[in-house]
Amino acid sequence: MDHPIDATIDAKGKKCPMPVLMASRALKALQSGQVMLIEATDSGSQSDIPSWARDTGNELLEATTVDGVHRYVVRKS
């Protein structure tokens, strides 16, 4: 990851819609321009997190999967 992370959300083991709900709650505490890392194991997050970021006007900077853990880096608008 090439982005400094201001907050990390550990949604591993959580099923839909929890990764999105956890990310949404945490994002409210961030300032515009800050970056959040979301880690999830639910395969639904691969479509849910990018859609959520786009729908809320935030920027998905990175989406990767390593050893079954999906990692998303989102910048708050």
Side-chain angles (χ1 to χ4, degrees):
M1 281 175 241
D2 298 336
H3 309 281
I5 304 299
D6 298 296
T8 299
I9 306 310
D10 182 359
K12 295 186 294 289
K14 307 289 186 192
K15 297 293 181 192
C16 181
M18 288 309 296
V20 170
L21 291 175
M22 292 171 73
S24 183
R25 288 180 191 142
L27 194 70
K28 291 177 183 177
L30 297 181
Q31 301 296 318
S32 179
Q34 286 189 302
V35 176
M36 174 173 60
L37 169 65
I38 305 152
E39 296 182 315
T41 51
D42 182 18
S43 62
S45 69
Q46 292 178 293
S47 61
D48 293 347
I49 297 291
S51 293
W52 164 79
R54 182 180 58 252
D55 292 348
T56 57
N58 297 293
E59 183 181 3
L60 179 67
L61 300 173
E62 197 173 319
T64 59
T65 301
V66 177
D67 295 331
V69 177
H70 311 292
R71 292 180 175 89
Y72 309 94
V73 179
V74 176
R75 177 181 291 133
K76 184 173 182 174
S77 61

